Amino acid sequence: MAVQRATELRLLLVAMAVAAVTARGAAGGGAAKVPAIFVFGDSTVDVGNNNYLAGISARADFPHNGVDFPGGEPTGRFSNGLIGVDFIAAAMGFTRSPPPYLSLIAMDANSSGEVMSNMMMAAASAMKGASFASGGSGVLDSTGTTISMTKQIEYFSDLRDQISTILSAEKASTLLSKSIFLISAGGNDAFEFFSQNKSPDSTAIQEFCEAFISTYDSHVKTLYNLGARKFAVINVPLLGCCPYLRSQNPTRECIEPLNQLAKRLNGEIRDLFRDLSSEMQGMKYSIASSYELISSLIENPQAAGFVEVKSACCGGGGKFNAEEACTPSSSCCADRSKYLFWDLLHPTQATSKIVGLAFYDGAARFVSPITFKQLADA
């Protein structure tokens, strides 16, 4: 198993090198594979919506975040640079992730324009997509205090109405049916449940999983009824091996009960989409396994050129540099390309680049039943 994973990672890195050369050769010459990308989820795909929320701690619009982003400025991404959705979007022919929705509708402090006018402008700007993702959110609306998944979908519904006004209902429907709807959520739900239930019994786990999947089902059906047909799903990560969770474990090892919960949720997500795709006409989907990919990188760091897969690059404290969050005064590693994790919970840009390619056109171990590339082409 370990040898197979190492081989697949090496093949993935070779493919990355080929893709980079191809991209340079085709720069400026290719059209996007899909009309637009609409993104929903948590901090794994948030590109700045939380910058516009007052009074929250789940934000990343300060250094050292963004130190390797073009221009070296923090953007609200929980990373030293680009994140996975940026690389996925680039592979599909876009510059990077679509912009945060709240940036599109933010009222100019010097403007006396109406909100509806801003909505129309946002719709015009979002013809190639928008990100509604919000760090700290979950599948369950009870998770976190930022922009819930229900609210994210409400924002999309508002945007869809404005796009329909601009294009016509028929043209808007065609645009949405060909676009990618990317969902990356569930980690915060699992983490919050585990934090409140250190030793949950089987009944508590069952009730949580049922509530989680029932709510996920509702969200997908709502998006489908709003016009979504192509779902690119990123599953629940290998949470128990993040630096913060290791720092909380007396053994300093991964917290396996949390990993097992994530694994169970991922099995139920897989079953949910298989069932929904047989029920809902025209629905297509691809599920990328963040869990499996991060597990492979931890087991075979040398295949990806990593030298540190347990500690945070940016943080504080003696245990995995993960007892304190990444702040402007935090210690920050010099060579981010050698680290798997950027901060307490999130990957570095180097990791995200591998993630992006693996999910776009990687092995079935990392993305199935089809790749994101095949989903875009479908």
Side-chain angles (χ1 to χ4, degrees):
M1 179 71 74
V3 173
Q4 182 180 0
R5 283 178 170 174
T7 300
E8 287 174 341
L9 283 172
R10 291 190 185 96
L11 290 172
L12 186 61
L13 293 169
V14 170
M16 285 175 62
V18 173
V21 172
T22 303
R24 283 196 296 270
K33 291 181 174 291
V34 293
I37 303 175
F38 298 98
V39 183
F40 305 82
D42 54 28
S43 59
T44 57
V45 286
D46 185 357
V47 292
N49 277 310
N50 280 14
N51 298 355
Y52 297 87
L53 304 181
I56 64 162
S57 59
R59 57 195 310 143
D61 55 344
F62 51 81
H64 299 284
N65 295 298
V67 62
D68 296 311
F69 193 84
E73 296 295 324
T75 63
R77 288 167 172 80
F78 292 77
S79 170
N80 57 304
L82 298 167
I83 60 177
V85 67
D86 291 307
F87 292 105
I88 292 167
M92 291 186 182
F94 299 91
T95 303
R96 57 177 71 104
S97 167
Y101 174 72
L102 293 187
S103 73
L104 299 177
I105 64 169
M107 294 292 287
D108 187 333
N110 298 318
S111 171
S112 59
E114 297 295 328
V115 173
M116 188 56 68
S117 174
N118 268 46
M119 282 296 300
M120 293 295 288
M121 292 174 61
S125 300
M127 291 297 181
K128 294 184 179 180
S131 174
F132 304 89
S134 177
S137 68
V139 170
L140 300 170
D141 287 350
S142 58
T143 297
T145 58
T146 54
I147 308 171
S148 69
M149 185 68 76
T150 295
K151 187 62 178 179
Q152 292 179 36
I153 295 172
E154 287 177 4
Y155 280 146
F156 168 71
S157 180
D158 292 341
L159 184 65
R160 169 187 172 272
D161 290 345
Q162 297 304 321
I163 291 175
S164 295
T165 299
I166 294 172
L167 293 182
S168 82
E170 183 179 354
K171 289 181 178 179
S173 178
T174 299
L175 181 147
L176 297 178
S177 70
K178 295 179 179 180
S179 296
I180 294 290
F181 285 74
L182 191 151
I183 304 172
S184 180
N188 290 325
D189 301 285
F191 178 72
E192 193 164 296
F193 171 78
F194 187 82
S195 298
Q196 296 169 1
N197 302 271
K198 294 296 185 183
S199 300
D201 58 28
S202 58
T203 300
I205 294 173
Q206 179 68 22
E207 290 175 349
F208 167 72
C209 290
E210 287 177 355
F212 177 91
I213 290 299
S214 174
T215 307
Y216 211 136
D217 175 272
S218 177
H219 290 322
V220 174
K221 286 177 178 174
T222 300
L223 285 170
Y224 178 88
N225 290 333
L226 289 170
R229 293 296 181 269
K230 297 184 177 185
F231 292 86
V233 180
I234 299 174
N235 71 11
V236 181
L238 189 74
L239 297 169
C241 296
C242 293
Y244 173 72
L245 276 305
R246 284 187 189 269
S247 76
Q248 300 301 299
N249 191 352
T251 69
R252 304 295 179 258
E253 297 299 326
C254 300
I255 297 181
E256 285 307 322
L258 183 53
N259 285 342
Q260 289 304 309
L261 177 60
K263 194 170 186 177
R264 176 168 175 173
L265 290 175
N266 288 337
E268 301 210 13
I269 290 171
R270 181 185 63 244
D271 293 345
L272 171 67
F273 276 88
R274 180 198 62 211
D275 293 344
L276 288 177
S277 67
S278 66
E279 297 171 13
M280 301 194 296
Q281 185 177 3
M283 177 186 170
K284 302 177 180 68
Y285 74 96
S286 171
I287 299 178
S289 183
S290 175
Y291 186 103
E292 187 65 33
L293 183 56
I294 296 303
S295 176
S296 295
L297 291 171
I298 289 174
E299 289 182 14
N300 305 282
Q302 67 286 346
F306 292 130
V307 297
E308 179 54 69
V309 296
K310 296 181 179 180
S311 297
C313 169
C314 182
K319 301 173 185 175
F320 304 110
N321 201 34
E323 294 177 281
E324 302 169 9
C326 179
T327 68
S329 60
S330 295
S331 64
C332 184
C333 66
D335 190 353
R336 273 83 64 183
S337 69
K338 301 299 183 183
Y339 276 67
L340 175 65
F341 291 103
W342 164 240
D343 60 11
L344 307 181
L345 300 167
H346 303 98
T348 58
Q349 174 176 274
T351 305
S352 293
K353 186 174 184 180
I354 296 171
V355 165
L357 184 65
F359 295 172
Y360 181 68
D361 196 22
R365 180 186 298 276
F366 305 132
V367 58
S368 65
I370 59 176
T371 66
F372 284 9
K373 179 179 186 295
Q374 291 169 325
L375 182 67
D377 291 340

